[in-house]
Amino acid sequence: CIRCRNGLYLHESQCISTCPANLTAVGVSLWGRMCAPPFQCRGSRSIRSAVTTTSFRCSCPANCHECSFRPGNAGPNGGIGSNCTKCRDAKYLYNQTCLSNCSSAPSDYADYIYGASTYGAQCRPAFTCTGSRDENGERCRCPPSIGGTACNSCDFTRGSQVCTRCRSRYLFNSTCVRRCPDGYTEVGSRSTIFGWTCDAMH
């Protein structure tokens, strides 16, 4: 057999009702379900790896762009990936689930969106992004609302993103601006691209 029906799973040319414990169930249609080694699913296709050498269709939970198919994975509606690792549609990842906001997360967690993208938003502990990296070395971006790539260092807390240092721009009210507004003096040396500020005139 090369393809099963009636909600059964293909394994070693046989159609079975449940996949072995070391494999994961794949497929939500009553046709074409199969058992496979654990893998990652991204955008409805499996990610090729040393274990999964071919690409095939797979399904993640609602609003999830990338998820894991782990051993023993199978629900009442078939093999849908669990353990979401990246959300889409501006949903926030928290505890491997995609949420509309971070109200379910601890109060010291930040609601983080990767730049202007609608993919990869997270509820995560408050952090500082400096030079496109956080304290753990993971990639991050300061949001366009406070300067985007012109902001060299920014702090993320719940409901707040604050720029603390600009690159070739002036820091004003926690954002990066090309010119300081009236009533402020532009402070900074052209010999360095960091640390420019707008200081109130006295």
Side-chain angles (χ1 to χ4, degrees):
C1 184
I2 58 174
R3 183 178 172 87
C4 296
R5 60 181 181 176
N6 299 331
L8 298 179
Y9 296 91
L10 181 67
H11 176 59
E12 296 181 346
S13 301
Q14 300 291 320
C15 295
I16 58 178
S17 59
T18 304
C19 292
N22 65 321
L23 299 178
T24 184
V26 184
V28 293
S29 170
L30 295 180
W31 295 77
R33 296 185 183 186
M34 65 180 184
C35 301
F39 67 96
Q40 286 287 112
C41 178
R42 179 190 298 147
S44 301
R45 300 295 301 183
S46 63
I47 300 175
R48 294 177 186 269
S49 67
V51 175
T52 308
T53 57
T54 59
S55 179
F56 46 82
R57 288 189 59 80
C58 50
S59 299
C60 289
N63 304 123
C64 180
H65 178 65
E66 187 171 327
C67 62
S68 299
F69 277 71
R70 296 183 176 179
N73 174 70
N77 297 317
I80 299 177
S82 56
N83 309 296
C84 188
T85 55
K86 186 176 185 179
C87 298
R88 57 183 174 85
D89 303 328
K91 302 300 182 183
Y92 294 87
L93 181 67
Y94 178 62
N95 281 349
Q96 301 174 345
T97 303
C98 297
L99 307 174
S100 296
N101 55 60
C102 295
S103 59
S104 301
S107 59
D108 60 345
Y109 272 49
D111 36 7
Y112 170 65
I113 294 180
Y114 188 76
S117 175
T118 59
Y119 290 83
Q122 305 173 47
C123 302
R124 52 173 295 185
F127 70 100
T128 297
C129 180
T130 302
S132 300
R133 299 285 176 180
D134 64 12
E135 297 91 337
N136 298 320
E138 296 182 10
R139 290 184 60 82
C140 56
R141 286 182 183 174
C142 297
S145 59
I146 61 173
T149 56
C151 181
N152 178 254
S153 183
C154 57
D155 295 330
F156 287 87
T157 56
R158 176 67 60 81
S160 175
Q161 302 86 41
V162 176
C163 187
T164 58
R165 185 173 68 169
C166 299
R167 180 180 187 273
S168 298
R169 296 288 188 273
Y170 294 95
L171 184 65
F172 177 71
N173 285 348
S174 302
T175 64
C176 298
V177 296
R178 290 181 177 273
R179 297 293 181 188
C180 296
D182 293 342
Y184 289 83
T185 301
E186 296 177 350
V187 178
S189 172
R190 292 291 177 174
S191 62
T192 177
I193 60 175
F194 300 112
W196 301 359
T197 61
C198 296
D199 288 3
M201 297 179 180
H202 299 291

